[in-house]
């Protein structure tokens, strides 16, 4: 009752009847073959992207098959539900690796998802060997990411203000590389990357940049852009948007000038007000300004004007101590005038890069006291004759301290 060993056998039949007649027949070449070859189907990567970009567009299925006594062989590609989407016939005489292009039998690229290969090998003894490959994934979706800068401008000059910029970033769980480029006037990146940072598959929520290149050298003032470049396991490549920031270390440069140093706000139409002229020479936009008028004697502030952006090009002060400094020369109702004395005007500005500067006009004098003078003489009658004992008239004068006095005899 045991199975005979594999080999070639013959079958003979013999018969003899009662009359002594004999007969026989023989069948030769009977082969007993109980061999059941094992097969396997391997893959060399798990992900591929059949999108025609030349990067991981196909996947290699490698059948391991004993070709002795092999009658036919095929590989079927199936989806996760077991539906056949592609049937590939193999040459039984020469089994080679299959380069699967990710398309179905109609030549259409498969939908994204998980698939596997099924190998079927049939031998001449009727035995059919099968094997399945590990799962592989069709993925044609590129990595996605987004970046933005917390500030539009930073000034890495070591003053503790805006010395660095933080780029916020988020992206898919793929391999990412952060890059910083110089930005041209047209808003596009130019030149080679100045900084390159490998994040692999762990993308931090933000990175901080202090304006240095890969060699640790501070870059020149200008506009720079940060972006992410990513690649997934299927070879799909994606890039983020570009976050543009300005590196600006320019120092603030301002001048405050006045048209006069002394004025008399007495509404007589002559030097009734002082005009201040803020002159900004920095190219960087001004974030805020403050113009202060203070008493030079006790330092008390008598008026102030402040605001966002650049200061006015012209500011008028009529010695008013409790009103808003204005670009106009009109006197507001119920104005309270400052007393006579010396004052100073101080202009302070802060640029968008947090650089600060100030300029002062000192020794501004308010003088509303009219000039006064007293004249006297010991006598009013005199003679120009040589014999006269009063050939001239002495004139004594006592006056207030003024810049110029004009004397005339009429």
């Amino acid at each position: 009752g045991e199975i005979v060993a594999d080999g070639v056998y013959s079958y003979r039949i013999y018969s003899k009847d009662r009359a002594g007649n004999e007969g026989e027949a023989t069948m030769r070449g009977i082969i007993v073959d109980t061999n059941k070859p094992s097969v396997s189907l391997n893959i060399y990567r798990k992900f591929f992207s059949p999108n025609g970009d030349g990067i991981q567009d196909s996947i290699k299925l490698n059948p391991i098959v004993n070709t002795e006594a092999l009658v036919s062989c095929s590989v079927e590609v199936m989806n996760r539900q077991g539906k056949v989407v592609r049937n590939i016939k193999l040459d039984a005489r020469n089994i080679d690796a299959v380069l699967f292009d990710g398309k179905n039998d109609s030549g259409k690229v498969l939908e994204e998802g998980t698939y596997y290969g099924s190998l079927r090998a049939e031998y001449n003894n009727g035995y059919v060997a099968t094997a399945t490959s590990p799962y592989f994934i069709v993925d044609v979706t590129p990595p996605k990411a987004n970046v933005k800068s917390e500030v539009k401008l930073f000034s890495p000059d070591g003053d503790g203000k805006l010395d660095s910029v933080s780029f916020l970033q988020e992206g898919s769980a793929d391999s990412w590389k952060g890059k910083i480029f110089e930005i041209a006037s047209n808003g596009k990146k130019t030149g080679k990357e100045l900084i390159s940072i490998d994040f692999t598959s762990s993308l931090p929520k933000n990175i901080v940049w202090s304006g240095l290149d890969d060699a640790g050298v501070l870059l020149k003032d200008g506009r720079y852009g940060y972006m992410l470049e990513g690649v997934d396991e299927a070879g799909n490549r994606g890039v983020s948007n570009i976050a543009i920031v300005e590196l600006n270390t320019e120092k603030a440069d301002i001048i405050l000038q006045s048209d006069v140093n002394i004025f008399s706000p007495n509404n007589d139409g002559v030097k009734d007000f002082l005009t201040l002229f803020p002159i900004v020479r920095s190219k960087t936009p001004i974030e805020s300004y403050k113009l202060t008028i203070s008493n030079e004697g006790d330092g008390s502030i008598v008026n102030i004007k402040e605001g966002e952006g650049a200061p006015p090009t012209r500011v008028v002060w009529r010695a008013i101590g409790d009103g808003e400094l204005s670009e106009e020369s009109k006197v507001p109702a119920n104005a309270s005038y400052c007393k006579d004395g010396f004052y100073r005007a101080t202009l302070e500005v802060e640029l968008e890069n947090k650089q600060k500067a100030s300029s002062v006009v000192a020794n501004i004098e308010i003088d509303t006291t009219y000039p006064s003078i007293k004249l006297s003489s010991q006598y009013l009658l005199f003679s120009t004759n040589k014999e006269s004992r009063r050939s001239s008239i002495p004139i004594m004068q006592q006056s207030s301290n003024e810049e110029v006095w004009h004397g005339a005899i009429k």
Side-chain angles (χ1 to χ4, degrees):
E2 294 183 359
I3 298 175
V4 299
D6 288 1
V8 180
Y9 295 84
S10 63
Y11 175 68
R12 177 177 176 268
I13 186 168
Y14 168 81
S15 179
K16 183 177 181 181
D17 61 17
R18 289 180 294 175
N21 299 307
E22 296 180 355
E24 68 177 38
T26 301
M27 179 182 292
R28 303 180 186 279
I30 300 174
I31 301 173
V32 176
D33 183 2
T34 60
N35 184 35
K36 295 181 178 180
S38 63
V39 296
S40 64
L41 185 59
N42 302 324
I43 59 175
Y44 289 95
R45 68 167 66 101
K46 185 176 181 180
F47 295 85
F48 75 116
S49 54
N51 53 14
D53 64 355
I55 302 174
Q56 294 182 214
D57 284 333
S58 59
I59 188 172
K60 185 179 287 188
L61 306 174
N62 188 31
I64 306 300
V65 179
N66 185 351
T67 59
E68 185 179 350
L70 182 64
V71 176
S72 65
C73 187
S74 65
V75 173
E76 293 178 331
V77 178
M78 301 182 177
N79 61 20
R80 199 154 198 167
Q81 290 73 39
K83 179 182 177 182
V84 178
V85 295
R86 178 75 176 272
N87 193 309
I88 304 171
K89 300 293 184 182
L90 303 181
D91 185 355
R93 296 167 299 177
N94 184 24
I95 302 299
D96 211 348
V98 176
L99 202 61
F100 177 50
D101 60 4
K103 298 178 181 178
N104 61 19
D105 286 328
S106 301
K108 184 179 179 181
V109 176
L110 297 177
E111 294 181 357
E112 290 187 312
T114 302
Y115 297 85
Y116 65 94
S118 176
L119 173 65
R120 185 179 188 276
E122 184 177 354
Y123 291 85
N124 61 4
N125 65 354
Y127 177 69
V128 177
T130 60
T132 57
S133 73
Y135 286 114
F136 53 86
I137 296 174
V138 174
D139 176 12
V140 295
T141 300
K144 294 182 179 179
N146 181 69
V147 298
K148 65 179 180 179
S149 171
E150 285 191 329
V151 295
K152 294 182 179 180
L153 181 149
F154 75 116
S155 177
D157 56 3
D159 65 354
K161 300 176 182 179
L162 290 179
D163 282 336
S164 62
V165 57
S166 179
F167 293 109
L168 306 180
Q169 55 190 11
E170 56 182 0
S172 52
D174 297 299
S175 180
W176 291 100
K177 181 178 289 187
K179 296 183 177 182
I180 292 180
F181 294 86
E182 190 172 356
I183 299 298
S185 57
N186 59 4
K188 296 182 179 180
K189 63 181 183 179
T190 180
K192 66 178 183 178
E193 63 202 50
L194 301 170
I195 292 179
S196 181
I197 309 169
D198 287 317
F199 296 116
T200 62
S201 59
S202 179
L203 190 64
K205 292 183 179 180
N206 72 296
I207 67 161
V208 177
W209 182 46
S210 58
L212 306 180
D213 62 13
D214 275 336
V217 177
L218 180 64
L219 296 171
K220 64 181 181 180
D221 285 9
R223 299 173 72 215
Y224 296 88
Y226 175 73
M227 64 179 294
L228 289 170
E229 293 183 356
V231 59
D232 62 17
E233 293 182 276
N236 298 299
R237 297 184 179 274
V239 296
S240 72
N241 61 305
I242 300 178
I244 297 177
V245 65
E246 181 181 353
L247 190 160
N248 187 318
T249 58
E250 182 186 22
K251 303 301 181 183
D253 188 2
I254 60 169
I255 297 175
L256 183 63
Q257 294 181 339
S258 65
D259 59 345
V260 294
N261 281 334
I262 183 170
F263 68 113
S264 56
N266 53 16
N267 295 319
D268 64 355
V270 180
K271 292 187 177 182
D272 285 332
F273 54 86
L274 171 78
T275 303
L276 296 169
F277 300 97
I279 301 172
V280 179
R281 299 197 296 191
S282 303
K283 295 181 180 179
T284 302
I286 293 177
E287 186 171 82
S288 63
Y289 72 91
K290 181 166 68 173
L291 179 59
T292 305
I293 308 292
S294 59
N295 188 303
E296 283 201 340
D298 57 15
S300 60
I301 296 176
V302 299
N303 214 318
I304 188 169
K305 179 178 179 62
E306 57 187 339
E308 297 180 354
T313 57
R314 177 177 181 269
V315 177
V316 173
W317 184 43
R318 298 188 67 107
I320 297 171
D322 58 354
E324 178 78 8
L325 290 169
S326 172
E327 298 176 52
E328 303 296 332
S329 58
K330 296 179 180 179
V331 179
N334 302 318
S336 175
Y337 288 92
C338 295
K339 62 182 180 180
D340 285 9
F342 289 91
Y343 297 81
R344 68 170 48 209
T346 303
L347 175 64
E348 300 172 273
V349 300
E350 183 175 35
L351 306 185
E352 288 186 358
N353 64 2
K354 300 304 178 183
Q355 296 292 327
K356 294 182 178 181
S358 63
S359 181
V360 176
V361 176
N363 298 318
I364 300 171
E365 184 180 0
I366 297 177
D367 181 6
T368 58
T369 303
Y370 287 95
S372 62
I373 189 169
K374 292 182 178 180
L375 301 177
S376 62
S377 179
Q378 293 179 346
Y379 49 85
L380 298 177
L381 179 65
F382 73 103
S383 172
T384 58
N385 293 330
K386 291 182 179 181
E387 295 82 8
S388 174
R389 302 176 67 178
R390 294 181 179 179
S391 60
S392 62
I393 182 171
I395 300 175
M396 283 71 74
Q397 52 191 20
Q398 184 179 4
S399 70
S400 58
N401 186 20
E402 309 297 340
E403 183 176 348
V404 177
W405 283 99
H406 295 282
I409 297 178
K410 299 182 179 179

